[in-house]
Amino acid sequence: MMEEVKETASVLSVHDDSIKVTEVLKEGDTLTFIIVSQKLSGTGEYHVDRTYEDFEWLQQHLFSQGDVPGIQGVIFPPLPAKPQVNASPRSIKQLGFLALGECQPYCKALETFLQQVAAHSILSKNKAVEVFLTSSDPPGRQKVKKNIFNRLSQAVEEMRKEGHKDVDEFFQNERDHNLILTGCTKTAAEKFLDVVATEQKIAVACGHFSTALHLCVEPGEDPDKQAFSRVCVKLSEVFESIKKNMTSVAENNVNTLGLGLDLESRYQEAEREMLFRRTCKLVELENAQRNVEKAKPVKKAAMEEVKKAAETEFEHTSGVAKQEIARFQGARVEMLQQALVGWCEKQLLTAKESADQFNQHLEVFRGMA
Amino acid sequence: MADTARDAPPEQTDFHELEDGEELFPEPATTQESQPASLAAEDISTNSNGPKQDSLFDDDPEDLFAEATEEVSLDSPERDVLLSDGPSPAITPITPPTSVITPRIGHTHDDMFTHSSFDEIEEEEGGDSFDIHISVSDPEKVGDGMNAYMAYKVTTKTSMSLFKRNEFAVKRRFSDFLGLHSKLASKYLHIGYIVPPAPEKSIVGMTKVKVGKEDQSSNEFVEKRRSALERYLMRTVKHPILLKDPDVLQFLESSELPRAVSTQALSSAGLLRMVNKAADAVNKMTIKMNESDAWFEEKQQHFENLDVQLRKLHTSVESLVCHRKELSVNTAQFAKSAAMLGNSEDHTALSRALSQLAEVEEKIDQLHQDQANADFYLFSELLGDYVRLLTAVKGVFDHRMKTWQKWQDSQMLLQKKREAEAKLQFTNKPDKLQQAKDEIKELEGKVQQGERDFEQISKTIRKEVSRFEKERVKDFKTIIIKYLESLVQTQQQLILELVLEKLV
């Protein structure tokens, strides 16, 4: 069992883009993820097994880096919601695309999370990351000291702060834009999820129809009976093909655009949280400024100190935020474009394969005496 | 003589022209004189060329009956001759029918000739190859309010000699179709012919249309009905006997048709029909038939099974259609949300890509709709049609049972009368005895007729079932091919859309 991790900076010893979540093991209600990453030294790879709680441990550590200047300006890579073996409808809805399929979408999302953390210039320096990725022992499960910013709570006062007018046009624009995009992306992801769900329903229905057709096959010497039986068998094969096509289409949707929209949606939320934190800092600063002005001479110096501290923090935060935003905007555009291209290519491939298969079936039927 | 007969009616491909029939007939009749006595060469001008059921199934085993047979079977080869332009085939065309009829000479049952005649019709189908296509189109609302109705244009395209012209159209309303079916059913069902059932009535659906609701559901209803009517007519004319029925021909050809009034759902006739149906059901349960023919037992079981399977399939397909429609709706909604996302996006390239995605999704939505329609109109309706057809098939089997029952009843009655007559022998009542003897004579005839009817319907059913089974395979194959073609097309269109998306 590792001791509590000290918050010292470290250098990550693996290639960030080599991190893979290769499989998931199910033991009763527990899911264990196998994570493989390539050593920077080129001398091999690390294999570790982690549970969801371990991921949360990592995230907590990242959040609690209070001493890193401007840490509040970081857009934290979003961790997917907790998976459940026998998922409740609510948790399935919460997971969205990540709940579909066997586990690949979810594993891919975890993988992306880790890669982004490892690639982050500030975050990757946290020792917890190294421990998480390389230590053969599971990282500590003890609760980390309360971090400065837990997930945003929706307290009413917090909500009011969100609308607080900004002093910087750049940030005001970014906040406005983020608000719109968050909504649109969430809607698009939800609608796309509906599409995929229906596609899966169709696949199942085709399977049923295919099975029902087999029941129509009758034994017997009668040539008419045999002819009809043959038709039923062949038609059953056709619907198996249709089922396969639908399944592929749904999978393609999930693995490309689905994951893309899901990630984008969660990332937009992460940006929103960062901007909110900065806005809170702004409110703090403005309060401090007012306090200085209102302060009696006795308190004035102290208030001035507070104000200076707030100012510094705000500047640091804004500085980091600006960088993060620039990086984020670039990354998300590339990610979405790749998702769209990937979607197009995969669906095109599936469509071509299906067209070929259907054509083959057509020839068989045409050739049937 | 034979030659003049040949030359005289050149365009005589029309069975309706009795005059021509008269001309044609005498020649073969004379040559037939050498044939069994039962085939007397009487004037058949009173018979129409089509196998008019009332004359053919006359209880009276007259020569009239036999002649109608002659006429029917001979006409085809006659026409063959005319069309093929062969050298003086004075004897040749006569021989085929003769060779078919000859083996039956030994039988005193004239109904055998009937069967041979229908054999002829079916075998000779090659002569006047089945080439007829009927389309039902242009639904038009006529009138207003609750008295309004939809009129459909029924267009027939054919090269068959049965018809006066090659292409013609008439206007018909739904009750006309029902009237046609009603007439055909009353003529042919009880003797074992599988008469295709007419499309179902729908009070709800029609009311919407009458009231003038111009929405998608009522449009869908009209289209569904139009398609059903078309399939109904095509099935009917595919039946070689029904095709030649004068009611069918009248339905297709004449511009005015007397209104079929007893087809209204809630009319007294409709209620009477329902009552009769119920009575039939009860009767069917009480008839215990000694099935001497394993074929019938096996076939009945087969159709029971088929009914169950088809219904299952039908349900399956309906659920599939439902999901496809849902997919279409969802795709459209996603397209909208993608468009909104594209609009909100600052980055121009990404914005454009998202907008394109929205467009592609819209097109995919359209493809989904088309696919849903294919699923529905091809499979769902096909399966529904066959479930209904099976009802007709079962009905025909039931009629056979009834025919058997009738025969048995006559036999039992005859037995009783014979016993009564035996008793009367010992009494001194010559009048009563004579009356008894007369009654017995009559009953003997009835029993014979009953047996004949039963054998006849059994034979007809065997043939009908065989035809039905073949048609079924053909039907399914045709539909499946159409469906696959639509699948292929959809995929190809999808490929096109995606390729275009990729290029931009």
Side-chain angles (χ1 to χ4, degrees):
Chain A
M1 211 41 134
M2 289 290 298
E3 304 159 17
E4 189 180 305
V5 174
K6 303 216 179 52
E7 317 290 354
T8 49
S10 77
V11 176
L12 196 58
S13 67
V14 299
H15 286 286
D16 56 271
D17 50 5
S18 73
I19 303 172
K20 298 250 180 291
V21 176
T22 54
E23 58 182 301
V24 56
L25 308 167
K26 216 187 285 191
E27 258 171 82
D29 270 353
T30 340
L31 293 169
T32 309
F33 302 93
I34 308 298
I35 302 162
V36 178
S37 45
Q38 304 297 320
K39 294 186 187 172
L40 269 181
S41 58
T43 54
E45 44 183 47
Y46 286 108
H47 278 245
V48 295
D49 55 273
R50 298 286 179 255
T51 62
Y52 188 77
E53 284 71 26
D54 297 331
F55 279 87
E56 282 180 319
W57 172 92
L58 173 61
Q59 197 182 43
Q60 293 297 321
H61 271 276
L62 296 174
F63 280 165
S64 57
Q65 300 177 92
D67 49 347
V68 176
I71 189 76
Q72 310 236 20
V74 167
I75 302 176
F76 287 82
L79 180 66
K82 185 178 171 119
Q84 276 171 26
V85 175
N86 296 313
S88 65
R90 194 169 67 89
S91 89
I92 289 181
K93 195 161 191 289
Q94 196 183 23
L95 284 171
F97 283 101
L98 307 184
L100 298 177
E102 272 308 306
C103 255
Q104 299 105 313
Y106 193 80
C107 288
K108 193 93 182 75
L110 285 180
E111 198 178 281
T112 308
F113 168 73
L114 290 174
Q115 283 181 356
Q116 283 168 338
V117 167
H120 198 282
S121 49
I122 298 174
L123 297 178
S124 63
K125 296 197 172 78
N126 190 305
K127 198 149 203 284
V129 182
E130 176 77 14
V131 167
F132 182 92
L133 288 171
T134 62
S135 164
S136 45
D137 292 325
R141 300 280 164 82
Q142 68 274 48
K143 267 289 183 207
V144 175
K145 64 178 186 292
K146 184 173 186 299
N147 59 56
I148 300 173
F149 37 93
N150 283 312
R151 285 257 172 229
L152 276 183
S153 61
Q154 300 301 309
V156 177
E157 21 172 315
E158 308 284 307
M159 297 298 289
R160 264 195 288 122
K161 276 189 204 163
E162 192 159 22
H164 189 92
K165 194 158 181 342
D166 211 301
V167 294
D168 187 330
E169 199 184 321
F170 170 79
F171 280 102
Q172 186 62 58
N173 280 341
E174 191 66 21
R175 282 161 62 188
D176 293 338
H177 201 228
N178 169 272
L179 194 61
I180 297 172
L181 271 184
T182 316
C184 284
T185 314
K186 196 152 179 274
T187 310
E190 279 170 8
K191 297 294 172 199
F192 200 56
L193 190 60
D194 287 341
V195 169
V196 170
T198 318
E199 284 167 347
Q200 290 178 328
K201 273 195 239 172
I202 290 178
V204 170
C206 285
H208 282 220
F209 190 58
S210 175
T211 313
L213 279 168
H214 267 292
L215 294 174
C216 284
V217 173
E218 277 179 74
E221 298 286 311
D222 190 312
D224 287 332
K225 260 199 207 164
Q226 287 188 335
F228 192 67
S229 293
R230 238 176 309 146
V231 167
C232 286
V233 168
K234 288 288 165 211
L235 186 60
S236 161
E237 284 170 20
V238 169
F239 272 87
E240 273 301 315
S241 292
I242 298 175
K243 175 182 172 179
K244 255 194 273 176
N245 164 265
M246 258 302 147
T247 311
S248 287
V249 168
E251 260 173 32
N252 293 345
N253 279 341
V254 170
N255 292 334
T256 57
L257 206 49
L259 277 181
L261 286 172
D262 168 77
L263 184 62
E264 167 78 355
S265 185
R266 287 184 291 124
Y267 240 116
Q268 292 283 358
E269 279 293 335
E271 195 199 12
R272 181 161 158 224
E273 282 170 20
M274 181 279 278
L275 290 168
F276 180 67
R277 289 193 296 268
R278 181 186 156 279
T279 309
C280 289
K281 289 287 162 218
L282 175 61
V283 169
E284 237 180 79
L285 175 59
E286 285 175 353
N287 285 342
Q289 277 168 341
R290 273 199 296 276
N291 286 345
V292 167
E293 282 157 24
K294 285 194 292 188
K296 297 196 178 97
V298 161
K299 294 265 178 161
K300 227 190 174 96
M303 286 300 113
E304 191 69 44
E305 282 296 313
V306 171
K307 182 196 111 178
K308 271 225 158 62
E311 222 168 38
T312 315
E313 210 180 330
F314 182 67
E315 272 165 27
H316 280 159
T317 306
S318 296
V320 171
K322 259 210 172 99
Q323 282 176 339
E324 286 284 279
I325 288 169
R327 200 182 56 90
F328 169 65
Q329 290 302 341
R332 65 170 275 273
V333 166
E334 197 188 314
M335 187 273 292
L336 276 177
Q337 280 178 322
Q338 263 179 20
L340 285 170
V341 169
W343 174 82
C344 195
E345 284 175 353
K346 279 225 169 97
Q347 296 294 27
L348 192 54
L349 191 64
T350 301
K352 282 188 179 152
E353 280 170 3
S354 299
D356 273 339
Q357 266 207 319
F358 294 151
N359 248 322
Q360 272 174 31
H361 285 297
L362 185 56
E363 289 312 307
V364 165
F365 268 97
R366 282 198 178 133
M368 258 177 150
Chain B
M1 248 197 311
D3 292 318
T4 29
R6 277 311 142 319
D7 300 337
E11 275 79 46
Q12 286 347 310
T13 52
D14 199 341
F15 285 131
H16 280 281
E17 314 286 298
L18 290 176
E19 314 83 75
D20 306 314
E22 280 177 39
E23 276 182 306
L24 281 170
F25 189 70
E27 318 306 324
T30 45
T31 25
Q32 277 298 341
E33 230 106 74
S34 53
Q35 292 305 311
S38 55
L39 304 169
E42 269 187 46
D43 187 6
I44 53 94
S45 50
T46 47
N47 295 335
S48 69
N49 286 11
K52 218 191 189 132
Q53 293 310 80
D54 10 45
S55 59
L56 285 164
F57 291 94
D58 244 339
D59 271 354
D60 202 352
E62 285 287 324
D63 298 316
L64 207 64
F65 184 28
E67 279 147 11
T69 307
E70 284 298 281
E71 180 193 11
V72 163
S73 53
L74 290 170
D75 266 343
S76 321
E78 281 291 332
R79 279 191 339 93
D80 267 352
V81 165
L82 291 165
L83 295 169
S84 60
D85 227 5
S88 56
I91 314 297
T92 339
I94 313 301
T95 343
T98 314
S99 62
V100 174
I101 295 175
T102 321
R104 288 180 170 77
I105 289 168
H107 293 243
T108 49
H109 290 165
D110 288 316
D111 54 307
M112 289 306 182
F113 293 127
T114 317
H115 288 299
S116 73
S117 72
F118 292 133
D119 281 336
E120 291 306 300
I121 292 172
E122 282 159 39
E123 281 159 28
E124 294 303 331
E125 253 180 73
D128 184 13
S129 68
F130 179 78
D131 168 33
I132 175 169
H133 184 77
I134 300 181
S135 59
V136 174
S137 60
D138 306 343
E140 216 182 6
K141 186 164 162 209
V142 177
D144 266 318
M146 289 313 285
N147 287 327
Y149 64 89
M150 282 308 234
Y152 302 86
K153 182 164 148 193
V154 176
T155 315
T156 312
K157 286 197 181 106
T158 177
S159 66
M160 292 175 85
S161 55
L162 203 52
F163 298 94
K164 297 194 186 87
R165 288 165 291 168
N166 280 355
E167 185 169 335
F168 47 92
V170 293
K171 276 254 181 216
R172 294 283 178 259
R173 53 184 293 186
F174 187 64
S175 54
D176 293 334
F177 290 81
L178 295 181
L180 174 66
H181 172 257
S182 171
K183 286 190 209 147
L184 294 176
S186 64
K187 278 197 255 181
Y188 296 94
L189 263 183
H190 67 275
I191 42 172
Y193 287 94
I194 302 172
V195 177
E200 285 167 347
K201 281 196 260 267
S202 164
I203 297 178
V204 174
M206 243 351 251
T207 311
K208 267 204 230 167
V209 173
K210 287 186 202 223
V211 164
K213 231 171 162 258
E214 266 288 332
D215 66 352
Q216 206 198 5
S217 72
S218 57
N219 285 342
E220 270 179 23
F221 171 79
V222 172
E223 172 55 27
K224 186 174 167 184
R225 174 160 281 193
R226 183 209 65 78
S227 171
L229 291 173
E230 195 173 278
R231 292 192 311 271
Y232 165 66
L233 284 179
M234 279 305 290
R235 282 221 173 81
T236 305
V237 298
K238 273 202 193 130
H239 194 299
I241 307 300
L242 297 180
L243 170 59
K244 298 182 169 139
D245 183 284
D247 282 320
V248 170
L249 299 171
Q250 187 190 32
F251 180 91
L252 291 174
E253 286 184 311
S254 68
S255 45
E256 288 297 317
L257 208 63
R259 177 91 196 273
V261 281
S262 61
T263 59
Q264 277 143 338
L266 301 176
S267 68
S268 55
L271 290 169
L272 189 62
R273 262 198 302 279
M274 284 199 313
V275 168
N276 282 337
K277 262 202 191 139
D280 278 348
V282 172
N283 281 337
K284 180 173 147 195
M285 293 195 300
T286 54
I287 294 179
K288 275 244 171 252
M289 182 169 157
N290 298 332
E291 188 56 81
S292 53
D293 195 337
W295 185 93
F296 282 91
E297 222 177 289
E298 191 234 314
K299 279 295 172 191
Q300 255 182 308
Q301 189 56 53
H302 161 70
F303 285 124
E304 288 291 323
N305 294 343
L306 189 62
D307 189 34
V308 170
Q309 311 305 355
L310 288 181
R311 279 178 202 270
K312 269 203 210 125
L313 287 177
H314 190 227
T315 314
S316 223
V317 170
E318 296 221 293
S319 127
L320 181 63
V321 171
C322 192
H323 289 319
R324 281 231 198 256
K325 289 206 175 130
E326 200 188 321
L327 182 60
S328 167
V329 168
N330 287 344
T331 310
Q333 287 192 334
F334 174 64
K336 277 207 199 88
S337 70
M340 263 180 57
L341 194 55
N343 286 339
S344 321
E345 184 57 58
D346 262 355
H347 193 277
T348 17
L350 184 58
S351 169
R352 204 176 49 220
L354 286 168
S355 302
Q356 268 160 11
L357 174 70
E359 275 174 32
V360 170
E361 287 291 338
E362 262 170 36
K363 302 236 172 69
I364 292 177
D365 166 34
Q366 194 49 56
L367 292 177
H368 284 316
Q369 273 185 36
D370 293 343
Q371 192 58 59
N373 283 338
D375 286 347
F376 178 72
Y377 282 109
L378 292 179
F379 278 118
S380 185
E381 291 285 84
L382 172 75
L383 289 166
D385 283 352
Y386 268 89
V387 167
R388 280 187 292 273
L389 259 172
L390 277 179
T391 318
V393 172
K394 282 198 251 181
V396 145
F397 277 84
D398 289 343
H399 276 295
R400 178 173 170 272
M401 280 212 291
K402 275 198 240 155
T403 310
W404 180 84
Q405 189 65 58
K406 202 167 144 199
W407 172 30
Q408 295 303 308
D409 290 346
S410 305
Q411 260 191 335
M412 282 204 302
L413 196 57
L414 177 65
Q415 183 68 19
K416 278 208 194 101
K417 291 281 175 183
R418 283 208 172 119
E419 284 168 9
E421 189 231 9
K423 284 206 191 115
L424 279 176
Q425 294 269 3
F426 298 109
T427 65
N428 197 12
K429 292 188 180 152
D431 295 341
K432 282 231 160 105
L433 192 60
Q434 187 54 45
Q435 186 189 21
K437 286 200 193 293
D438 289 338
E439 280 176 355
I440 286 175
K441 193 104 202 298
E442 198 187 316
L443 273 173
E444 279 172 347
K446 271 218 174 88
V447 167
Q448 276 189 335
Q449 185 57 45
E451 185 179 5
R452 251 182 280 138
D453 286 346
F454 179 70
E455 284 177 15
Q456 192 166 292
I457 194 176
S458 300
K459 190 149 201 255
T460 305
I461 290 179
R462 276 176 185 268
K463 248 201 297 221
E464 282 287 281
V465 164
S466 168
R467 201 184 61 85
F468 173 79
E469 299 283 64
K470 291 197 172 63
E471 275 300 310
R472 176 160 69 108
V473 174
K474 251 201 286 173
D475 244 349
F476 271 71
K477 263 200 238 155
T478 313
I479 296 293
I480 292 168
I481 287 177
K482 272 209 202 117
Y483 184 72
L484 280 170
E485 283 171 352
S486 87
L487 272 181
V488 171
Q489 199 189 24
T490 307
Q491 288 301 121
Q492 286 174 335
Q493 271 177 298
L494 178 61
I495 291 170
L496 207 60
E497 292 301 329
L498 289 172
V499 165
L500 288 175
E501 150 100 341
K502 237 187 126 177
L503 291 176
V504 184

